[in-house]
């Protein structure tokens, strides 16, 4: 801000020369709206022993006003003032004239005002001698002289070094002088008031606004001051605009856009006073939010790099970026002005600059920045091509509907019809839940793609299709497409482009997620848990809580169906934590976590807890409906109704839900019908249970056990024996394994094998105890209930079955033993069986989270051989899925922790 000059006498009594001298050598007067800033005045007042004071800041920052107030308040009368005009080169003539006006007999300097640059060493030393001989400390304020001449700077430095503290020079300017400031700092001979110091505080801003007739609440003052970054002129111009606004408080957010005074001031006082080279530099580098030397070289060439530090010294509303060495950024209001001027003066150049910036940021791996630069110039074809080439379609999906990439490409025009553009639109549609739109764009992408395309597009197309299919197509189709995507991805990532390791890891996590969901819908729970666990724990997804919450939500569902209740509860809790940090949309992760927790409560026969979690499930509906989620919700509701004694309603709900499911989800339908059949068995209606199971084309491992239980209630021993003829697979869900043991116990009891029946019953209780799995015993049917009653002493040993408070560590078997799965004569526990070398090798690969196919490739064996080894490992370790096997092996020291 430029202060006005004091008029010592009425204008009419001054000659023209005297008026010019008053402007040149008079101390500027303060304005009526001036705000006294005590913190800065105190800083200047503490400079009595300092030979050099630098007050440096951009135009309009209040430099002159501050220093003039300080000089006027000072009791020291030995102060001279020189005001220089813009672009003025004469120096010594005015400086020495100011000293003569103070009464000092300094020498005259040869030369006129227009060409006077140097005084010469003799004259400088003579001037220094006069100052020293006066035995008085003098202060000289030089306002507006931009010291850029090194020879002149050397003469000024010579003067200061030879005045022995008798001269304090105060330089007030926009550009840092080329004096050796580092040396003055080192010796403590320099005091500085810079741009950051000159910025108005909120309190000072409020006082200035009040002086200008504008009163605002504290939060509005803070917002306005944030927008102008404490810039004095900006506050003044904003105050003038706000004074005319009907509601100043509401106008604060847009006031800088509404007043043209600020732009005119910036153009006239900052931009147009720069050299042509610096002006071009400012306009060109305004296209980016952060300016660094490498980017400057990309935009303007290596010769322009020194201008970055020059711009910082020139105080053109540019500041260092905290914690980023060598990086600068323009004040937002100045950056916006520069961008507008660039677009107006050189629109084609602006486009080229944005493309150069995009290229540089892409090479640096700064995805958001290069994407935004291409969006600004409508470079959609290049943008989509580069997104696909850099394998960033996966990141677009991981970020979800609120991600930066999604927001950047949501305006992708429909007339951009390349295969890459269609693929990007397909991924965008899928992230918004629009599976139909996704399928349409995938079709267009395939139509546009070359038949011989071996780039990054094919496997990313397969991935997007797999993610779409895993939640909507028939289970068999989803299984096939996700398996195809996995193969395509492995092949496509074989020869990755440099710098795409991170995006490749993201694609792997996505394909494991899609595979896990498809496996879950097919009923392959162990494999589903492995795939979803790998997706959730991948390091590439740590920055995407949106996606991690979805993985964990599905994982919790798979684990609870597998009977791993404690693991399911842990995964569900982690899903809720991740969802809390994932923004407003987490793709149903919250609902899946709560429905998994509700199912845990049902399995543990805890109706109150199940109802609490169901309250969250009733919140927002999932669009489009998820078959797994819908089936599990129906099962949980039926379980709560069953625990409340309303078995008819529960069974009817399960049958209806099974009929509502698409024929493409046979396993989920089987799951619901099996649950309805278990209710029929539990209520003493085994024939109704068999009727429910007749609707199924084939009986899986879980429904076979339900059918066997129904036949056991009917005392059809031959049918029971036939159904149980095949031994249980180690990966059969825990509740089915327990139910099988209970049926076998009933059969043994009926054949008078009392000890065997008791051993089987004890084995079932021991298997269920660690998870608190009460439901199989509660649904066991009248005959099994009698068997349990006949073994009351076993129930006393397993009080957790009837007393929820008794479930604890004492109910679980010791960590170093597992319950035997073979029928035993007496209850007992056996040590883990010894693993063969091949099984240990497989276990090591399981620890590395390799898939079955990858293990087969590593060991040079068939996939079926690997599966046989895996089943044997699971059986010997007494677990029912791969991750649990690795944990168990670590506990036993079979693999390193």
């Amino acid at each position: 801000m430029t202060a006005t000059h004091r008029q010592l006498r009425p204008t009419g009594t001054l000659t023209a020369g005297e008026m010019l001298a008053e402007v040149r050598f008079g101390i500027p007067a303060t304005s009526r709206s001036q705000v006294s800033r005590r913190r800065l005045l105190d800083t200047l007042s503490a400079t009595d022993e300092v030979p050099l004071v630098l007050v440096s800041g951009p135009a309009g920052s209040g430099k002159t006003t501050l220093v003039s107030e300080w000089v006027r308040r000072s009791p020291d009368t030995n102060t001279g003032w020189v005001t220089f005009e813009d672009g003025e080169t004469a120096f010594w003539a005015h400086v020495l004239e100011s000293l003569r006006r103070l009464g000092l007999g300094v020498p005259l300097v040869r030369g006129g005002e227009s060409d006077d640059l140097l005084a010469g060493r003799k004259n400088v030393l003579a001037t220094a001698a006069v100052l020293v001989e006066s035995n008085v400390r003098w202060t000289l304020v030089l306002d507006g002289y931009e010291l850029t001449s090194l020879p002149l700077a050397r003469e000024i430095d010579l003067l200061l070094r030879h005045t022995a503290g008798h001269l304090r020079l105060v330089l007030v300017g926009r550009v840092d002088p080329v004096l050796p400031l580092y040396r003055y700092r080192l010796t403590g001979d320099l005091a500085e008031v810079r741009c950051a110091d000159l910025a108005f505080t909120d309190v000072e801003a409020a006082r200035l606004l009040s002086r200008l007739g504008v009163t605002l609440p504290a939060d509005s003052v803070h917002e306005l001051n944030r927008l102008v970054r404490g810039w004095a002129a900006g506050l003044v111009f904003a105050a003038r605009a706000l004074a005319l606004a009907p509601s100043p408080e509401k106008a604060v957010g847009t006031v800088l856009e509404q007043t043209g005074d600020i732009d005119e001031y910036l153009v006239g006082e900052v931009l147009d006073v720069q050299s042509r080279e610096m002006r071009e530099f400012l306009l060109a580098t305004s296209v980016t939010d952060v300016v660094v030397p490498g980017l400057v070289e990309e935009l303007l060439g290596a010769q322009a790099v020194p201008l970055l530090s020059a711009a910082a010294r020139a105080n053109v509303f540019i500041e260092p970026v905290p914690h980023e060495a060598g990086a600068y950024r323009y004040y937002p209001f100045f950056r916006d002005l520069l961008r507008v001027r660039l677009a107006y003066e050189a629109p084609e150049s602006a486009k080229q600059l944005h493309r150069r910036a995009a290229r540089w940021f892409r090479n640096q791996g700064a995805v958001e920045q290069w994407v935004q630069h291409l969006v600004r110039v409508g470079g959609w074809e290049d943008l989509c091509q580069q997104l696909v080439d850099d394998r960033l379609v996966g990141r677009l999906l991981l970020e979800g509907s609120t991600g930066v990439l999604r927001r950047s490409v949501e305006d992708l025009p429909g007339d951009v019809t390349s295969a890459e553009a269609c693929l990007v639109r397909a991924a965008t549609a899928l992230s918004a839940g629009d599976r139909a739109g996704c399928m349409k764009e995938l079709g267009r992408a395939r139509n546009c793609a070359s038949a011989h395309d071996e780039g990054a597009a094919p496997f990313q197309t397969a991935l997007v299709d797999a993610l779409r299919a895993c939640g909507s197509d028939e289970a068999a189709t989803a299984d096939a497409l996700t398996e195809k995507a996995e193969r395509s991805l492995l092949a496509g990532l074989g020869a990755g482009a440099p710098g795409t390791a991170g995006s490749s890891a993201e694609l792997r996590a996505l394909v494991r997620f899609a595979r896990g969901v498809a496996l879950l819908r097919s009923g392959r729970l162990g494999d589903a848990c492995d795939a979803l666990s790998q997706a959730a724990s991948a390091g590439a997804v740590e920055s995407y809580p949106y996606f991690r919450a979805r993985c964990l939500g599905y994982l919790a569902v798979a684990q609870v169906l597998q009977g791993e209740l404690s693991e399911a509860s842990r995964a569900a809790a982690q899903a809720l934590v991740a969802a809390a940090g994932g923004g407003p949309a987490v793709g149903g992760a919250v609902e899946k976590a709560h429905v998994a927790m509700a199912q845990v409560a049902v399995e543990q026969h805890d109706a109150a807890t199940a109802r609490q979690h169901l309250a969250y499930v009733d919140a927002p509906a999932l669009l489009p409906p998820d078959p797994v989620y819908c089936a599990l919700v129906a099962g949980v509701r039926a379980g709560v109704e069953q625990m409340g004694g309303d078995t008819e309603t529960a069974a009817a709900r399960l049958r209806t839900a099974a009929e509502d499911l698409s024929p493409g989800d046979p396993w989920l339908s089987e799951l619901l019908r099996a649950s309805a059949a278990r209710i029929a068995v539990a209520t003493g209606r085994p024939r109704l249970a068999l009727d429910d199971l007749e609707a199924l084309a084939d009986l899986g491992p879980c429904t076979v056990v339900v059918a066997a239980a129904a036949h056991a209630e009917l005392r059809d021993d031959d049918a029971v024996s036939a159904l149980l003829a095949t031994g249980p697979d180690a990966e059969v869900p825990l509740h089915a394994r327990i139910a099988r043991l209970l049926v076998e116990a009933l059969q043994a009891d009926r054949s008078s094998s009392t000890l065997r029946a008791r051993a089987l019953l004890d084995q079932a209780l021991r298997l269920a105890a660690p998870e608190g799995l009460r439901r199989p015993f509660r649904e066991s049917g009248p005959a099994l209930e009698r068997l349990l009653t006949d073994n009351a002493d076993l129930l006393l040993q397993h009080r957790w079955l009837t007393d929820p408070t008794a479930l604890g560590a004492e109910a679980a078997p010791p960590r170093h033993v597992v319950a035997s799965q073979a029928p035993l004569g007496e209850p007992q526990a056996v040590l883990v069986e010894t693993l063969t070398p091949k099984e240990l090798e497989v276990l090591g690969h399981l620890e590395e989270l390799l898939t079955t196919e990858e293990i087969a490739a590593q060991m040079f064996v068939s996939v079926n051989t690997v599966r046989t080894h895996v089943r044997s490992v699971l059986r010997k370790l007494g677990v029912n899925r791969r991750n649990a096997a690795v944990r168990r092996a670590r506990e036993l020291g079979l693999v390193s922790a």
Side-chain angles (χ1 to χ4, degrees):
M1 295 173 61
T2 303
T4 57
H5 285 71
R6 178 180 53 182
Q7 297 294 330
L8 298 180
R9 289 181 289 171
T11 304
T13 65
L14 295 176
T15 65
E18 290 174 330
M19 291 178 63
L20 290 174
E22 180 61 23
V23 171
R24 171 77 69 183
F25 301 109
I27 300 171
T30 58
S31 66
R32 290 189 299 273
S33 62
Q34 179 182 345
V35 172
S36 181
R37 299 202 274 171
R38 174 56 57 187
R39 60 186 177 87
L40 298 181
L41 293 173
D42 291 344
T43 298
L44 293 174
S45 297
T47 63
D48 286 345
E49 304 301 322
V50 176
L52 181 61
V53 179
L54 176 62
V55 181
S56 178
S61 57
K63 304 179 296 295
T64 298
T65 300
L66 170 69
V67 177
S68 66
E69 181 182 5
W70 168 59
V71 170
R72 289 177 179 281
R73 285 173 174 265
S74 174
D76 184 6
T77 58
N78 302 321
T79 299
W81 188 293
V82 182
T83 299
F84 292 90
E85 302 296 334
D86 289 340
E88 195 168 13
T89 58
F91 179 80
W92 282 114
H94 301 313
V95 168
L96 297 177
E97 176 62 22
S98 177
L99 292 176
R100 282 193 290 272
R101 285 171 176 263
L102 292 175
L104 290 167
V106 294
L108 294 175
V109 177
R110 178 178 54 83
E113 290 189 357
S114 61
D115 60 356
D116 172 35
L117 290 177
L118 299 177
R121 179 181 178 84
K122 178 180 178 181
N123 288 324
V124 170
L125 292 177
T127 301
V130 172
L131 291 168
V132 172
E133 291 169 359
S134 69
N135 204 28
V136 174
R137 179 173 173 80
W138 305 91
T139 297
L140 184 59
V141 179
L142 306 181
D143 183 14
Y145 191 88
E146 308 302 353
L147 183 54
T148 59
S149 167
L150 279 173
L152 179 57
R154 293 191 184 99
E155 289 191 345
I156 295 174
D157 180 53
L158 180 68
L159 176 66
L160 289 174
R161 285 189 288 109
H162 285 79
T163 50
H166 287 78
L167 174 64
R168 173 173 55 183
L169 192 62
V170 181
L171 300 180
V172 182
R174 302 177 184 178
V175 179
D176 281 6
V178 292
L179 288 165
L181 298 179
Y182 62 89
R183 194 175 69 210
Y184 286 89
R185 292 189 186 106
L186 184 64
T187 58
D189 290 334
L190 173 66
E192 299 176 83
V193 176
R194 294 196 160 274
C195 181
D197 307 306
L198 292 166
F200 273 57
T201 65
D202 287 355
V203 173
E204 293 167 346
R207 290 166 54 197
L208 177 59
L209 293 170
S210 179
R211 294 266 180 108
L212 295 170
V214 177
T215 302
L216 294 172
D219 57 343
S220 297
V221 172
H222 174 76
E223 176 63 15
L224 176 61
N225 203 34
R226 183 189 68 81
L227 292 173
V228 301
R229 307 293 282 274
W231 181 40
L235 288 169
V236 172
F237 288 132
R240 291 176 180 173
L242 291 173
L244 302 176
S247 177
E249 184 178 347
K250 294 180 180 178
V252 164
T254 59
V255 67
L256 296 189
E257 303 169 6
Q258 296 171 352
T259 175
D261 290 339
I262 291 179
D263 288 350
E264 291 180 10
Y265 185 92
L266 291 172
V267 170
E269 296 293 327
V270 181
L271 185 59
D272 286 349
V273 299
Q274 305 298 326
S275 66
R276 182 184 62 80
E277 187 180 36
M278 178 59 76
R279 190 179 191 278
E280 290 178 356
F281 173 86
L282 295 176
L283 291 173
T285 54
S286 70
V287 299
T288 69
D289 294 331
V290 176
V291 187
V292 294
L295 178 56
V296 171
E297 184 173 356
E298 180 72 35
L299 295 175
L300 295 168
Q303 75 283 354
V305 174
L307 291 175
L308 180 57
S309 55
R313 291 194 304 271
N315 287 309
V316 285
F317 297 102
I318 192 172
E319 63 182 354
V321 178
H323 313 300
E324 292 187 34
Y328 292 86
R329 62 189 177 196
Y330 293 108
Y331 286 15
F333 59 83
F334 188 53
R335 178 202 62 204
D336 293 344
L337 167 74
L338 292 173
R339 288 177 178 175
V340 170
R341 298 293 296 186
L342 176 64
Y344 174 74
E345 295 178 9
E348 289 304 316
S349 176
K351 291 181 181 180
Q352 289 300 319
L353 288 166
H354 276 294
R355 289 186 177 276
R356 291 175 191 169
R359 181 173 61 234
W360 187 85
F361 279 116
R362 185 187 180 202
N363 291 336
Q364 301 300 311
V367 176
E368 296 176 9
Q369 287 85 347
W370 70 255
V371 167
Q372 290 170 358
H373 279 288
L374 286 180
V375 169
R376 287 174 187 168
V377 296
W380 297 109
E381 291 280 3
D382 290 343
L383 172 59
C384 294
Q385 180 69 57
Q386 291 173 17
L387 283 173
V388 173
D389 288 347
D390 291 356
R391 303 170 179 175
L392 291 173
V393 171
R395 185 171 302 184
L396 195 157
L397 292 164
L398 285 170
E399 288 183 344
S401 59
T402 60
V404 174
L405 286 186
R406 163 67 193 284
R407 295 198 305 270
S408 298
V409 302
E410 61 186 359
D411 294 327
L412 175 60
D415 58 0
V416 182
T417 57
S418 65
E420 291 77 13
C422 294
L423 176 55
V424 169
R425 270 195 296 267
T428 303
L430 184 59
S431 69
D434 181 7
R435 291 193 178 117
C438 175
M439 180 180 289
K440 176 183 176 182
E441 291 296 338
L442 285 174
R444 295 178 64 191
R446 291 189 177 99
N447 290 335
C448 296
S450 168
H452 305 288
D453 188 357
E454 297 180 354
F459 64 81
Q460 292 180 88
T461 302
L463 170 61
V464 174
D465 201 17
L467 287 165
R468 177 202 60 77
C470 72
S472 60
D473 285 4
E474 292 186 354
T477 303
D479 185 65
L481 287 175
T482 56
E483 189 173 8
K484 174 185 174 183
E486 195 164 42
R487 291 195 306 269
S488 177
L489 185 67
L490 289 174
L493 297 183
T500 58
S503 54
S504 297
E506 294 167 358
L507 294 172
R508 289 181 187 273
L510 280 164
V511 80
R512 294 307 291 157
F513 168 75
R515 189 77 185 119
V517 175
L519 290 167
L520 174 57
R521 290 181 60 195
S522 299
R524 295 158 62 183
L525 299 177
D527 291 339
C529 287
D530 288 337
L532 292 166
S533 178
Q534 290 172 28
S537 60
V541 306
E542 291 179 357
S543 302
Y544 306 103
Y546 161 87
F547 174 73
R548 187 165 186 270
R550 292 185 67 197
C551 293
L552 290 167
Y554 272 109
L555 176 61
V557 169
Q559 288 171 331
V560 75
L561 293 176
Q562 185 82 324
E564 300 175 1
L565 306 188
S566 56
E567 293 287 341
S569 297
R570 186 178 297 110
Q574 291 173 346
L576 293 177
V577 171
V586 290
V590 170
E591 292 82 3
K592 286 188 182 66
H594 280 293
V595 79
M597 287 180 167
Q599 184 66 41
V600 169
V602 168
E603 298 294 340
Q604 294 177 340
H605 215 263
D606 183 356
T609 301
R611 279 192 290 268
Q612 289 176 359
H613 288 293
L614 278 176
Y616 291 93
V617 172
D618 284 333
L622 295 180
L623 296 175
D626 184 322
V628 174
Y629 174 77
C630 294
L632 199 59
V633 169
V636 170
R637 293 193 190 284
V640 171
E641 290 163 348
Q642 182 184 0
M643 285 186 283
D646 192 357
T647 55
E648 292 296 332
T649 302
R653 179 186 297 279
L654 291 166
R655 295 184 187 105
T656 300
E659 292 170 359
D660 289 343
L661 276 173
S662 164
D665 278 294
W667 179 78
L668 292 174
S669 179
E670 175 187 345
L671 184 71
L672 293 171
R673 292 191 185 278
S675 296
R678 283 200 302 268
I679 292 176
V681 172
T683 54
R685 294 178 291 176
R687 295 195 182 279
L688 178 59
L690 294 174
D691 290 341
D692 282 324
L693 297 177
E694 279 185 2
L696 302 176
D698 297 302
L699 296 183
C702 297
T703 47
V704 162
V705 176
V706 180
H711 283 292
E713 290 292 329
L714 293 170
R715 292 183 172 273
D716 187 351
D717 295 337
D718 290 340
V720 174
S721 298
L723 288 166
L724 299 183
T726 304
D729 191 297
E731 295 193 45
V732 170
L734 182 60
H735 63 79
R737 294 165 61 195
I738 293 170
R740 181 189 182 94
L741 289 171
L742 294 176
V743 174
E744 290 178 347
L746 181 57
Q747 290 296 92
D749 183 67
R750 286 174 177 168
S751 63
S752 300
S753 299
T754 307
L755 290 178
R756 176 178 168 78
R758 178 185 174 85
L760 289 165
L761 187 58
D762 180 59
Q763 186 178 351
L765 287 165
R766 287 176 179 274
L767 279 176
E771 302 291 354
L773 190 57
R774 301 185 180 92
R775 192 175 187 183
F777 302 93
R778 301 280 184 166
E779 297 179 338
S780 57
L784 283 169
E785 285 181 8
R786 287 191 295 272
L787 179 60
L788 286 168
T789 304
D790 292 342
N791 290 273
D793 59 327
L794 277 182
L795 296 182
L796 288 175
Q797 295 176 33
H798 295 277
R799 289 184 301 111
W800 61 270
L801 188 61
T802 54
D803 181 5
T805 62
L807 181 60
E810 72 281 355
R815 291 177 61 185
H816 66 283
V817 299
V818 294
S820 171
Q821 297 179 33
L824 301 174
E826 293 292 338
Q828 59 178 306
V830 297
L831 292 174
V832 176
E833 295 181 44
T834 303
L835 298 180
T836 68
K838 284 294 183 183
E839 289 168 352
L840 285 172
E841 184 178 355
V842 168
L843 185 60
H845 291 314
L846 293 179
E847 185 184 27
E848 296 170 357
L849 299 181
L850 298 185
T851 65
T852 302
E853 292 75 10
E854 290 170 334
I855 295 174
Q858 289 277 347
M859 297 179 64
F860 299 99
V861 297
S862 69
V863 170
N864 287 335
T865 300
V866 172
R867 287 173 178 159
T868 300
H869 286 317
V870 169
R871 282 195 294 269
S872 181
V873 169
L874 297 178
R875 178 182 61 78
K876 290 182 178 182
L877 294 180
V879 295
N880 55 10
R881 73 180 182 87
R882 299 179 177 201
N883 285 1
V886 172
R887 286 194 300 273
R888 182 80 177 119
R890 286 174 177 167
E891 293 172 359
L892 295 168
L894 299 177
V895 295
S896 60

